[in-house]
Amino acid sequence: MSGIGLRGVLRVPGVSRLLAAQTFTVFGDTALVLSLAVWTENRTGNSSAASMTIFAFLVGVVLAPSAGRFVSRHQPRWMMALSNLTAGGIVLLLLMAEHVPFWLVYPFAALYAFAGSIFAGVLVGYLREQVAEPLRVPVNAEFQSLQQVLRLVAPVAGVWLLETGGNGLVVFVVTGTLVVGAVLVLLCPDVDVPPEPALPGPRWGSYGLIWADRNLRRVSVLAVLGNGAQGFAQTLGFLVIQHSLHRSAGFIAVFVTIQSLAGIISTRIGAFRRITQPVRLVRIGLLLAGVGYAVLLLPGLYPVLGAFVIVGAGLPWVRIGYTSALQNYSTPATASRIALAGQSLLSLAQTAFIAVGALLGLFVDWWVLAVTMVVVFLTAAAIRGPATPPAPALPPTDPRPTEEVSR
């Protein structure tokens, strides 16, 4: 049953509306990120100022788990709708950006990412309660596949909107997508989420919940290692183009495109969807990425293209497996908080390694970065994951998803 396709996934109550809500929300998010960076560079003429907008988004993502306790006390669909509407209000403030000091774009971006991260984290917790455990992998695969598609087309659409109608058109479209996403979420069914026990919380808040649980801690180490190593790819791609392929920097678009397409195709493979152990999916994704970067070391254009196909096929399964593990190893009361913290950890690790990779790229050859990534990915894939299955804290609140699919 866990190998069901899109039609089976859409029969799970609420999932079709959630997929539609995510389509509008992620499209707006992804279109805004790049267009905001381009707008900043157009206004300041400074590439560093533009790249700082990406850093501001990261700050918002990392700080989002601080809202975990507030989020866990409210109905998930209302929290998702509120986060979208809040993000839409923040986007409207960008209309003033041309009439105020440009640096105000950074706190706006951080606040926007803060609200958007809450939507993503609560979505994971909502799916935990709405979807029976055997169906979580294929459902998460559909959501990840959709993200791969949107990340391929939305940035281009955002820049086109900016060049066509300026900042005002971008704000209008992004705000509209967020509002539509909020409305669709409100049409989804409620789920029963018990209140979190009023006990002293672990140190470091939501991050402490991950660290305190042995299974969550071990699977998080695997995913963080993989996401961190992937941060080197931001520098590695340009170095390979320059020193190995001897082509212009614009060739990076080819790498991005084939990697995204490989990810979309990979998430449609039923053999992966039938794997019921999320940690195994994480390790398979890490293994494929490690093999891909090993192929990158071979000379010639075709091995390089093949390498990014293999890497693109593996990386989505790291995130799918990790998302499913966060759901399986959490409780109804803590699922959203743990998801917020887990996603923030991945973003923090990748961004930190982007900076480290950029620095190393000034002093070492590209193949040193590639070898380092191969070692990290393959070592992480070989690390033993959680050995004990998660014990559900409460019985399923609604068996209808499984029954609905079986019919």
Side-chain angles (χ1 to χ4, degrees), residues 258 292 295-296 301-311:
I258 62 175
V295 172
L296 187 67
L301 174 62
Y302 293 110
V304 171
L305 297 179
F308 280 98
V309 169
I310 299 172
V311 170

Side-chain angles (χ1 to χ4, degrees), residues 31-42:
L32 179 67
V33 171
L34 186 57
S35 62
L36 189 60
V38 172
W39 177 85
T40 302
E41 182 167 7
N42 289 342

Side-chain angles (χ1 to χ4, degrees), residues 229 232-237 239 293 296-297 353 356-362 364-375:
F232 282 175
Q234 305 298 321
T235 299
L236 178 64
L239 293 178
Y293 284 116
L296 187 67
L297 295 167
F353 275 81
V356 173
L359 181 62
L360 290 176
L362 298 175
V364 302
D365 291 331
W366 68 268
W367 60 268
V368 176
L369 287 179
V371 169
T372 302
M373 295 172 73
V374 171
V375 171

